[in-house]
Amino acid sequence: QVQLVESGGGLVQAGGSLRLSCAASGSIFSRSAMGWFRQAPGKQRELVALIRSGGTTNYADSVKGRFTISRDNAKNTVYLQMNSLKPEDTAVYYCNARRDLWPNNNYWGQGTQVTVSS
């Protein structure tokens, strides 16, 4: 089955940086849009960044200019480079894959905690 394996979460001080990685199943990666979502305590899960199979990207206004999503199709991996982190970025971050031909087919990573302290 489809599996997403995440890494890179952790604790960082405000102003610092982290890079999240998500490795996806090779059979679907190149044909999938990849997204990073996050969910803070008591809040709804929200889209942080999206990169489509064609390479176009979208970002939440709250992270635009600070976060960068990218993908390496040869490694079946999507990244989220997070710079200038703020305490408001504290959340569980989830990797998501949405298949181009079956957009209702969504696959999720296990989630990784990102904590930003002052």
Side-chain angles (χ1 to χ4, degrees):
Q1 247 283 14
V2 175
Q3 186 179 21
L4 305 177
V5 181
E6 296 174 315
S7 62
L11 174 65
V12 66
Q13 289 190 336
S17 299
L18 285 173
R19 189 177 77 158
L20 306 183
S21 300
C22 174
S25 300
S27 61
I28 69 161
F29 184 83
S30 63
R31 293 167 284 139
S32 297
M34 302 297 299
W36 287 97
F37 292 72
R38 68 185 181 187
Q39 188 166 22
K43 303 291 185 179
Q44 196 166 48
R45 188 173 300 187
E46 64 173 348
L47 177 66
V48 176
L50 170 70
I51 184 165
R52 299 176 181 84
S53 57
T56 57
T57 60
N58 291 95
Y59 297 92
D61 289 341
S62 59
V63 307
K64 191 171 296 184
R66 300 187 297 120
F67 291 9
T68 303
I69 188 171
S70 61
R71 64 193 296 160
D72 186 340
N73 288 340
K75 298 185 181 298
N76 298 329
T77 301
V78 63
Y79 305 94
L80 185 67
Q81 179 66 48
M82 304 184 294
N83 298 325
S84 302
L85 282 162
K86 305 174 180 179
E88 307 90 84
D89 296 317
T90 295
V92 178
Y93 284 70
Y94 298 89
C95 178
N96 171 266
R98 188 184 66 192
R99 301 179 74 170
D100 291 341
L101 297 180
W102 299 274
N104 289 330
N105 287 28
N106 279 272
Y107 306 94
W108 294 90
Q110 77 285 354
T112 184
Q113 178 70 48
V114 172
T115 302
V116 184
S117 63
S118 299

